Amino acid sequence: MSATLIDGKAVSQKIKSGIAERVERLAARGIVPGLAVVLVGDDPASHTYVTSKKRTCEALGMRSDLLQFPASMSEEDLLELIGNLNRDPEIHGILVQLPLPDHIDEFKVIVAIDPEKDVDGFHPVSVGNMSIGREAFLPCTPHGILKLLEEYEIDPAGKHAVVIGRSNIVGKPAGVLLLQKDATVTYCHSKTRDLKNFTRQADILISAIGRAKFLGKDHLKDGAVVIDVGMNRDENGKLCGDVDFDDVLGTASYITPVPGGVGPMTIAMLMENTLLSAERGSTETK
Ligand code: GUN
């Protein structure tokens, strides 16, 4: 038996079609959802990500302002820019691409963003609301993972979900959202002893560690659902995940490919958050 592929590209296309229709409805009322993407410095991976975010925005009829600055930008100037974007009624979402240069305090930047425009879901108000199950902008990658599970009718309730990685962007919130779907959640990380002991118990295994082909069939229980968030290069420079895809195909029941799994979902969820923000703003009396 070979694992079923979880086609993130196809699912994200479906979501994006729905978004494009809602954007048209807003346009009829003179509202164009606007996303400001801020990039400081010249990290090549970040550059690729933000370009792709901008392109997708425009393809869906939304406005996207890509604001690029040199790595020497001061923290003060960045905070001032965010203040201006917070006050700009045509901007519904603000995303500051991480990581930031070392001299800029990431936390100060994240808390400077108006939570109503926090389409990344990184502000402590968003994280807090998410953690207690209140309405919040959900962080895009974990939200995308949950959408993929839903689409393939994989119900986390009662299942053992093992999350490898504890970043604020992916691992931690992925565990929180799975817990809210009634999974039993275990977090593993770089200090975990005997990783296999945990991963072999996983009904759903989420990997967000960033090590090429690190996990093989020896890490899996028969029939596990494998969600690979890794975005790495293999020894030949080819894009690959944290999971040795060919090795686990005969053991996993479902698996996300890299590329074409989780990646496209992250962008779709960002678009959805931006649209939601614009829809919310349009129903308020200001
Ligand atoms: N860097 C890596 N992933 C992300 C993300 O989802 N949002 C932002 N702002 N920066 C990132």
Side-chain angles (χ1 to χ4, degrees), residues 16 19 35 52-54 56-58 60 62 140 266-276:
K16 286 190 286 187
I19 291 174
L35 173 68
S52 160
K53 288 167 184 174
K54 182 177 169 65
T56 310
C57 250
E58 287 166 358
L60 298 180
M62 315 209 285
C140 303
T266 298
I267 297 197
M269 294 300 104
L270 174 67
M271 300 299 119
E272 187 173 272
N273 279 349
T274 306
L275 172 64
L276 269 174

Side-chain angles (χ1 to χ4, degrees), residues 31-261:
I31 299 157
V32 180
L35 173 68
V37 178
V38 182
L39 176 62
V40 184
D42 44 21
D43 179 67
S46 290
H47 201 273
T48 308
Y49 293 144
V50 297
T51 308
S52 160
K53 288 167 184 174
K54 182 177 169 65
R55 219 182 298 129
T56 310
C57 250
E58 287 166 358
L60 298 180
M62 315 209 285
R63 170 180 158 193
S64 171
D65 293 358
L66 177 51
L67 306 163
Q68 291 193 73
F69 301 91
S72 58
M73 184 187 207
S74 72
E75 183 181 280
E76 194 187 349
D77 285 352
L78 179 55
L79 294 175
E80 189 186 323
L81 170 74
I82 291 171
N84 291 336
L85 294 170
N86 283 341
R87 286 183 291 275
D88 185 339
E90 294 187 356
I91 293 296
H92 304 94
I94 303 169
L95 180 148
V96 179
Q97 187 68 26
L98 304 178
L100 286 167
D102 288 345
H103 66 277
I104 298 178
D105 183 340
E106 239 165 56
F107 181 72
K108 269 196 202 164
V109 171
I110 289 170
V111 293
I113 296 170
D114 181 344
E116 291 192 10
K117 298 188 177 187
D118 175 34
V119 288
D120 253 333
F122 294 168
H123 192 288
V125 166
S126 306
V127 177
N129 279 326
M130 173 195 68
S131 301
I132 58 173
R134 306 281 304 179
E135 189 174 296
F137 285 121
L138 300 179
C140 303
T141 301
H143 191 196
I145 292 171
L146 265 89
K147 287 271 185 188
L148 284 178
L149 294 176
E150 198 181 304
E151 191 68 28
Y152 282 80
E153 296 179 357
I154 299 162
D155 182 3
K159 306 238 168 70
H160 188 185
V162 174
V163 181
I164 322 178
R166 53 174 156 175
S167 73
N168 291 333
I169 296 182
V170 182
K172 236 185 267 176
V176 170
L177 294 178
L178 286 160
L179 180 63
Q180 279 166 2
K181 293 286 179 191
D182 299 322
T184 300
V185 178
T186 298
Y187 285 101
C188 297
H189 46 77
S190 52
K191 299 279 193 299
T192 296
R193 291 184 195 153
D194 194 5
L195 181 67
K196 274 186 193 159
N197 172 42
F198 297 99
T199 58
R200 278 187 189 141
Q201 296 177 44
D203 300 309
I204 302 173
L205 183 65
I206 315 267
S207 182
I209 52 179
R211 293 178 69 172
K213 300 183 183 175
F214 181 71
L215 302 167
K217 62 173 184 291
D218 291 355
H219 290 88
L220 298 190
K221 165 160 111 178
D222 238 6
V225 174
V226 178
I227 306 289
D228 190 349
V229 189
M231 189 68 95
N232 317 299
R233 299 266 168 197
D234 70 8
E235 61 281 4
N236 303 314
K238 202 169 147 240
L239 213 53
C240 71
D242 294 341
V243 178
D244 187 340
F245 187 84
D246 296 333
D247 190 53
V248 308
L249 265 184
T251 308
S253 58
Y254 290 87
I255 184 166
T256 59
V258 178

Side-chain angles (χ1 to χ4, degrees), residues 21-33 275 278-279 282:
E21 282 170 24
R22 282 159 67 191
V23 169
E24 262 183 48
R25 260 175 265 149
L26 274 182
R29 294 162 48 205
I31 299 157
V32 180
L275 172 64
E279 287 174 338
S282 73

